[in-house]
């Protein structure tokens, strides 16, 4: 029998977050147990608490990772766009693909109301605010006639519509990320003058 490879702290944390995200998404936050997560990771429960402090701390770490990754994928998409409509298209497509490729993270975001916790709800709202601010900044770059209020209002509408469309897609598997993006473009591009 070979010796187990020791993981760095960062590798172990990433492993814990992967397992926790899956357990939280599959079982729901309330029904999930630290014992189950620790067992699946191959750590003791006290060691799991050593890393994240509490079940809530573990959930918050999962949400923060999703927040960071969502901003990374949408930022990369924005960096390669060649015009305003392409910018909107690429960023929306990145958003929908993120949901498809990170279904467990999306399940956490989608089930926010099942977690009656102020710090968790604050972190979930921080994800929305991050994406709203990102979108508002992009809108101001392509429409210099927009004031801050307009850019923020338009961004709120785009983010809200995209979240609802992502939820709708869960029961419509035939609607691809590309098709969902086309729906967003058809709705918002004319009003934005693209």
């Amino acid at each position: 029998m070979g010796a187990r490879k020791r993981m760095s702290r960062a590798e172990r944390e990433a492993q814990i977050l992967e397992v926790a995200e899956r357990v939280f998404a599959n079982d729901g936050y309330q029904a999930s147990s630290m014992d189950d997560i620790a067992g699946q990771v191959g750590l003791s429960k006290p060691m799991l608490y050593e890393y994240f402090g509490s079940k809530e701390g573990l959930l918050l770490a999962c949400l923060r990772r999703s927040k960071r990754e969502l901003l990374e994928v949408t930022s990369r998409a924005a960096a390669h766009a060649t015009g305003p409509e392409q910018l909107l298209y690429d960023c929306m497509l990145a958003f929908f693909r993120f949901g498809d490729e990170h279904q467990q993270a999306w399940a956490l975001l989608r089930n926010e109301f099942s977690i009656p916790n102020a710090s968790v709800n604050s972190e979930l709202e921080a994800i929305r605010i991050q994406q709203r601010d990102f979108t508002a900044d992009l809108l101001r770059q392509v429409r210099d006639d927009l004031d801050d209020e307009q850019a923020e209002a338009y961004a709120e509408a785009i983010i809200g519509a995209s979240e609802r469309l992502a939820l709708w897609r869960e029961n419509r598997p035939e609607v691809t990320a590309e098709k969902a993006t086309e729906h967003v473009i058809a709705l918002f591009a004319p009003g934005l003058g693209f």
Side-chain angles (χ1 to χ4, degrees):
M1 190 179 277
R4 277 179 51 182
K5 177 187 173 257
R6 289 189 49 87
M7 289 186 185
S8 70
R9 182 171 179 94
E11 290 171 325
R12 179 64 75 183
E13 284 181 6
Q15 179 193 35
I16 294 167
L17 291 174
E18 286 294 322
V19 170
E21 189 176 280
R22 183 179 64 247
V23 171
F24 290 149
N26 292 338
D27 300 343
Y29 175 74
Q30 301 295 347
S32 299
S33 77
M34 292 293 271
D35 285 323
D36 187 32
I37 294 167
Q40 288 187 41
V41 173
L43 288 177
S44 67
K45 185 174 164 182
M47 186 57 85
L48 194 57
Y49 280 100
E50 176 80 22
Y51 277 90
F52 295 100
S54 66
K55 182 174 155 183
E56 177 184 322
L58 181 54
L59 178 61
L60 288 170
C62 288
L63 293 172
R64 288 181 187 124
R65 183 178 73 162
S66 293
K67 177 182 172 186
R68 184 184 68 252
E69 290 175 351
L70 179 57
L71 183 59
E72 288 170 1
V73 299
T74 52
S75 294
R76 272 195 308 273
H80 299 294
T82 57
E85 189 169 340
Q86 189 67 46
L87 179 68
L88 181 60
Y89 183 90
D90 289 353
C91 289
M92 290 290 87
L93 183 59
F95 170 81
F96 289 119
R97 284 183 175 165
F98 179 84
D100 290 349
E101 294 165 5
H102 298 86
Q103 290 181 359
Q104 294 160 342
W106 176 245
L108 289 177
L109 300 175
R110 170 186 81 227
N111 294 322
E112 67 183 277
F113 297 112
S114 66
I115 306 168
N117 181 295
S119 59
V120 171
N121 289 325
S122 292
E123 191 62 39
L124 289 164
E125 186 58 21
I127 294 170
R128 285 191 184 92
I129 290 169
Q130 167 192 274
Q131 290 307 115
R132 181 206 61 208
D133 292 348
F134 172 77
T135 304
D137 287 344
L138 292 177
L139 289 172
R140 280 190 288 271
Q141 289 174 28
V142 298
R143 288 273 314 269
D144 58 7
D145 62 316
L146 295 179
D147 63 31
D148 288 343
E149 180 182 300
Q150 288 172 312
E152 192 172 298
Y154 295 172
E156 284 281 357
I158 292 168
I159 298 303
S162 298
E163 285 183 12
R164 291 302 308 168
L165 197 57
L167 285 169
W168 174 75
R169 285 185 63 224
E170 289 182 9
N171 296 316
R172 302 287 303 267
E174 72 279 7
V175 179
T176 63
E178 291 78 9
K179 189 67 173 171
T181 301
E182 291 169 17
H183 290 316
V184 172
I185 297 296
L187 180 62
F188 288 106
L192 291 169
F194 296 168

